[in-house]
Amino acid sequence: MDVVSLSTLLAAAAMAGWVDAVVGGGGLLLLPALLVAAPGLPVAAALGTNKLAAIFGTATAATTYARRTRLDWRVAGPAAGLALVSSGVGAALAGAVPASAYRPVVLVVLVAVAVFVLLRPRLGVLPAPQRRTPARVAAVIAVAGVGIALYDGLIGPGTGTFLVLAFTALVGADFVHGSAMAKVVNAATNLGALVVFAVTGHVWWLLGAGMAVCNIAGAVLGARMALRRGSGFVRVVLLVVVVALVAKLGYDQWLAR
């Protein structure tokens, strides 16, 4: 790999770490960068190498959030435990189901998310503890720990964004605390998928290790900015990331042919 391609990947890893720490969706940057900068890299290897870099960033962001804000471990803990297994199952199935089969569904969900957030400007700005009923807690654990984690193992981009929305919409977390719980669960999804990709030989370890260092740097900066600037800042970044995801997936679905 030439110096320009390597530098591009390292810069993309740092930016992906920042985006992931604030609101998720770093895979939107890093996966395409891997596939463009390393054109001979198989898709499964790109997914596995991305997980190696991402797990360090998400774990760092989760630790930063845990030190500076209160994490609801009664929600995040069980969701992370389920996510570890579910993402591994998704990774094992990653080669069997083409990503194109999921893009239309994900596009519809993302557009719905953008409309939902725009029409509810107070969503996630302040906590809504009245939503934290036993039924909703069980629902968000299942959605985050099974549904979203399975998607992360299969495809990946947008996972952190979906997790933040799940925690804010279902159990009334504000965006900062929703991002904090999302990082814990996302670290588990990355670990579960990474184990499977590693066992099947789909990880470029040296490249992934270099990107992991940059991903950590971006994650620390992103988590600190989110904590310092608050939920309003996270909401704006969330909308930008969702629009970018819609544009990227729409391009892949209809134009990149």
Side-chain angles (χ1 to χ4, degrees):
M1 183 176 294
D2 59 74
V3 175
V4 173
S5 296
L6 182 59
S7 299
T8 300
L9 284 177
L10 295 178
M15 181 58 70
W18 186 91
V19 172
D20 256 337
V22 176
V23 76
L28 170 70
L29 297 170
L30 199 48
L31 269 177
L34 273 166
L35 293 172
V36 170
L41 188 67
V43 174
L47 289 169
T49 306
N50 174 62
K51 291 302 177 191
L52 175 59
I55 189 172
F56 286 95
T58 51
T60 300
T63 302
T64 303
Y65 278 114
R67 287 175 176 172
R68 300 191 178 202
T69 190
R70 184 180 177 185
L71 273 171
D72 191 344
W73 288 105
R74 290 173 295 180
V75 176
L82 284 172
L84 184 67
V85 177
S86 299
S87 62
V89 172
L93 298 173
V97 182
S100 59
Y102 293 89
R103 287 191 195 118
V105 176
V106 177
L107 273 167
V108 171
V109 172
L110 283 169
V111 171
V113 164
V115 172
F116 183 68
V117 173
L118 285 170
L119 293 180
R120 300 188 64 177
R122 303 303 299 170
L123 176 71
V125 176
L126 295 172
Q130 68 275 11
R131 293 184 191 167
R132 199 183 182 287
T133 63
R136 283 177 172 264
V137 168
V140 80
I141 289 172
V143 169
V146 179
I148 298 176
L150 186 67
Y151 164 81
D152 191 31
L154 279 167
I155 306 173
T159 295
T161 306
F162 292 141
L163 287 169
V164 173
L165 262 296
F167 289 125
T168 53
L170 290 176
V171 291
D174 61 69
F175 277 130
V176 169
H177 288 85
S179 290
M181 289 190 286
K183 292 310 106 192
V184 173
V185 178
N186 207 176
T189 66
N190 285 334
L191 178 59
L194 176 60
V195 169
V196 173
F197 285 126
V199 169
T200 54
H202 292 129
V203 179
W204 284 20
W205 293 99
L206 189 59
L207 176 60
M211 293 193 303
V213 174
C214 297
N215 200 256
I216 289 171
V220 171
L221 179 61
R224 289 179 177 176
M225 286 183 68
L227 288 164
R228 185 171 65 250
R229 298 194 178 189
S231 296
F233 169 72
V234 178
R235 183 177 186 273
V236 171
V237 177
L238 172 68
L239 286 171
V240 171
V241 170
V242 168
V243 171
L245 278 167
V246 169
K248 174 63 172 62
L249 290 172
Y251 176 83
D252 289 344
Q253 180 67 23
W254 292 297
L255 299 179
R257 296 180 183 276

